[in-house]
Amino acid sequence: MQKLQTSIVYLKGVGPQRADLLKKELGIFTYMDLLNFFPFRYIDKSKYYTIQQLYDSNTEVQIIGQITQIQTLGKGRGKRLVATFEDGSGSMDLVWFRNYKWIQEKLKMRTSYVVFGKTNRVQGRYSMPHPEMELESVHKEKINVPLQPVYSSTEKLQRSGLGNRVMNKMMLQLFEEIGKEFLETLPQYWMDRMQLMPKREALFNIHFPQNQELLVKAQYRLKFEELFYIQLQLVIKNAQHKAKVKGHYFEKVGELFNEFYETHLPFPLTGAQKRVVKELRQDMGTKAQMNRLLQGDVGSGKTIVAVLAMLLALDNGFQACLVAPTEILAQQHYEGIKELLAPLSIDLALLTGSTKAKERKGMFEDLLDGELTILIGTHAILEDKVQFKNLGLAIIDEQHRFGVAQRAKLWFKNTIPPHILVMTATPIPRTLAMSVYGDLDVSVIDELPPGRKPVTTVHRYDSNRLKVMAFMRDEIAKGRQVYIVYPLIEESEKMDYKDLMDGYTSIEREFPKPKYQISIVHGKMKPEDKDYEMQRFVNGETQIMVATTVIEVGVNVPNASVMVIESAERFGLSQLHQLRGRVGRGAEQSFCILMTSFKLSNDSKTRLETMVTTNDGFEIAEVDLKLRGPGDVMGTQQSGVLQLKIADVIKDNHLLKAARHYAIELLKSDPKLEQEKHAIIKYTYQQLVQHKNIWNYIS
Ligand code: ADP
Ligand code: MG
């Protein structure tokens, strides 16, 4: 490996100036870095098309033909150079919007050119803007690699002449200099089993693909390797965490749990709930700290699972707390859980920002001496003043509102950190969870309680508003309640606020007092006022709730059966799904109405279609991931988490699973990587860790 750590400046043909550019622009410092700088796509130049064969816009094609006419068209910014290009089968246009004077001088009429580029089709006629061009005579003399690699570049690199051609040359030189230097990173027996291409060959074919088949094999090999070493790191981290971080030992299932489970469960648990409870019991019975993410779609019944876990803590002599992201949710949890646990006469308390000082004082004392065993509240629980006697379990509801930092904060309240259970209704596709939260174990409730009627979702244009209003009136007449939600996006906050207020006014007109009562909730209100308005809706005093997305999280109003989302095209998929989850909680058929204007982008259309066709949160999360990419789905906080070099967590899903499987099995059979046949893995892993090459992937 020594040679590969050589500074790039020593590669023949590079020199100090280029080396400097490579470092600054692409982060390439060593031979190894250059070797790992993969093309981001390949141009297939093995095929030639005729103009007649063109069938689609936006595809890259290579055509041989001649220019028969050159003209300058348009004025000002629309000014362009247009060359008519013919090949005997038809005619098309080559178009330039920039540098056209210079180009015009160089173009030769009635001479055979090979042009290459993307085509556009406008009113049945094809054109190719800014084509790559070469005289056919020159083209024929060159040795043409059928698949030409394209490396990403920057303007600065381009201006300094460090384009694709130079990159190609450097790569050739690189392979020459490293010669037969040892490069393999996976054990031979795996390569045989999986029929993987040797590393050296794979690298060569990534930079100089000899044909499509070899390229695919090379990519496969490198993707597997990349995913495997990330997974190996995650699995090792997880094992280390389990070995290092001692946790409270919940050895028994005691009286409280058993009594509640046998006599006070308000409904039989679903299979998924049972499975998750079992997973939690197992985790908390191992003397290692539990660090678990519980994913379950809205309404899948996470609360009861949380309650059972808390009872386990109590049975083993520990306290438990439940942290909710908003005051109203904390309140709902408190009331619901108090009712559930009433027959067991357990003391529980609610702590939020608005808990009175006097009340707090008593509460804090009771927490310290262990009198109070269950505390439910907002992030007020995380303040330093709140000290437990022996907190054994901390449950955090609706994780996406909390930073990981806050989660970690709970750990340091005691010398032995409590078990942590993070519950989220924003499904992170399992594959992503597994590659990002490798240090968290993941449980999934993938089954809704029986008898739930799926929410009917429709898409309506603004022009149908009157009908939608009539529909709302009918539902209200049946005794139901309605949400109307407006987008709030920070950049245009003022406009959004105006939209909301205009909407409110027109709804007031359609639904006049005193027959109808309307709640309004938005971000500019004081928390007390918000809670007051929300509470009126929860209590059924108001029939309509006009709101911005502040109601997104967890509120439970089973009587609400209609969710109208205004300007639905402006919401993200997971947000739409969360909002829809506010209805469909009671026995009645519920509806979600997505209102939009006629102007919709392709992405918006996909989002709306997805919402209309499925209620499955995981399916929605997968589509979301495809539309937005992993960074965004995880929130800006974690963006960049999955900056993979070659693999793609979505498209290469099956490989990701295989890689994880290999990592887990490897560590099972050889936990310290001591076997001779795994020496190569140990060495590579150490190298990667040393050079911080994999740690970059994880935040
Ligand atoms: P979420 O996962 O969104 O937090 P909740 O725990 O609030 O869901 O449960 C949603 C509703 O479903 C509640 O009214 C709850 O009582 C009910 N529920 C939960 N589990 C079951 C079950 N196994 N059978 C029937 N109803 C259930
Ligand atoms: Mg919930």
Side-chain angles (χ1 to χ4, degrees), residues 255-257 259-260 307 310-312 314-315 318 320 334 337-349 371-375:
E255 239 170 75
L256 292 173
F257 184 97
E259 193 193 330
F260 183 75
V307 167
M310 292 199 280
L311 291 179
L312 269 180
L314 268 53
D315 271 341
F318 292 97
Y334 173 72
I337 293 172
K338 193 166 149 185
E339 201 181 308
L340 279 172
L341 296 184
L344 299 181
S345 63
I346 291 171
D347 260 344
L348 64 166
E371 199 92 331
L372 184 59
T373 47
I374 294 183
L375 183 63

Side-chain angles (χ1 to χ4, degrees), residues 586-632:
E588 308 306 330
Q589 175 62 54
S590 294
F591 304 87
C592 175
I593 303 170
L594 307 168
M595 304 291 299
T596 74
S597 63
F598 276 111
K599 258 185 159 174
L600 295 173
S601 70
N602 281 340
D603 277 9
S604 298
K605 277 183 204 152
T606 308
R607 285 199 296 268
L608 295 165
E609 260 170 43
T610 307
M611 285 295 292
V612 169
T613 47
T614 181
N615 276 297
D616 180 339
F618 281 99
E619 207 174 299
I620 288 170
E622 297 279 356
V623 177
D624 200 25
L625 193 58
K626 273 179 202 154
L627 287 178
R628 295 198 295 157
D632 286 332

Side-chain angles (χ1 to χ4, degrees), residues 145-405:
V145 191
L147 288 167
Q148 289 189 2
V150 182
Y151 296 93
S152 56
S153 186
T154 65
E155 229 187 291
K156 226 175 177 176
L157 287 173
Q158 295 283 11
R159 266 192 278 126
S160 317
L162 237 169
N164 250 337
R165 208 186 292 245
V166 176
M167 205 49 116
N168 259 306
K169 267 194 186 155
M170 290 193 313
M171 289 294 177
L172 263 180
Q173 181 62 28
L174 182 69
F175 275 93
E176 198 143 293
E177 288 190 29
I178 55 177
K180 290 230 171 322
E181 176 137 0
F182 175 69
L183 271 177
E184 195 44 68
T185 52
L186 294 173
Q188 187 61 45
Y189 83 102
W190 282 14
M191 298 207 297
D192 295 343
R193 196 194 295 164
M194 298 181 73
Q195 300 194 335
L196 295 176
M197 191 182 254
K199 172 84 176 230
R200 195 194 145 79
E201 209 179 315
L203 283 172
F204 187 77
N205 274 290
I206 274 293
H207 294 294
F208 304 98
Q210 299 305 298
N211 59 47
Q212 192 68 36
E213 195 192 333
L214 285 172
L215 174 62
V216 169
K217 278 193 150 171
Q219 287 170 326
Y220 187 83
R221 143 82 212 213
L222 295 172
K223 284 175 179 180
F224 175 79
E225 173 185 341
E226 178 173 45
L227 294 168
F228 166 73
Y229 278 102
I230 291 169
Q231 290 304 318
L232 181 66
Q233 183 209 354
L234 287 170
V235 176
I236 287 177
K237 231 171 113 182
N238 191 340
Q240 280 171 346
H241 178 89
K242 286 200 169 125
K244 243 195 274 162
V245 185
K246 269 212 306 194
H248 295 300
Y249 182 32
F250 292 5
E251 57 186 325
K252 62 173 186 218
V253 177
E255 239 170 75
L256 292 173
F257 184 97
N258 281 330
E259 193 193 330
F260 183 75
Y261 198 86
E262 274 150 33
T263 37
H264 305 302
L265 269 186
F267 37 70
L269 296 188
T270 61
Q273 285 170 322
K274 280 188 202 157
R275 191 187 63 236
V276 171
V277 171
K278 207 159 144 197
E279 284 167 356
L280 298 179
R281 259 170 56 186
Q282 266 166 7
D283 260 20
M284 297 189 288
T286 61
K287 297 188 183 170
Q289 189 220 11
M290 174 176 80
N291 216 356
R292 196 169 266 280
L293 180 71
L294 171 55
Q295 297 196 51
D297 217 340
V298 267
S300 62
K302 295 184 289 294
T303 315
I304 195 82
V305 171
V307 167
L308 285 164
M310 292 199 280
L311 291 179
L312 269 180
L314 268 53
D315 271 341
N316 285 278
F318 292 97
Q319 293 162 300
C321 70
L322 171 60
V323 186
T326 64
E327 194 142 345
I328 188 117
L329 249 183
Q331 174 114 25
Q332 280 198 348
H333 270 317
Y334 173 72
E335 275 156 19
I337 293 172
K338 193 166 149 185
E339 201 181 308
L340 279 172
L341 296 184
L344 299 181
S345 63
I346 291 171
D347 260 344
L348 64 166
L350 173 69
L351 175 67
T352 69
S354 49
T355 307
K356 300 262 159 22
K358 211 173 99 195
E359 240 178 291
R360 276 173 191 247
K361 196 159 165 280
M363 200 184 292
F364 290 176
E365 281 167 13
D366 291 348
L367 275 178
L368 248 188
D369 63 23
E371 199 92 331
L372 184 59
T373 47
I374 294 183
L375 183 63
I376 293 169
T378 56
H379 51 270
I381 292 183
L382 304 180
E383 283 163 23
D384 295 330
K385 288 171 286 188
V386 186
Q387 295 290 333
F388 293 83
K389 182 182 176 211
N390 57 356
L391 182 63
L393 169 67
I395 300 176
I396 299 172
D397 196 13
E398 305 285 0
Q399 175 250 359
H400 64 290
R401 293 285 159 123
F402 285 97
V404 178

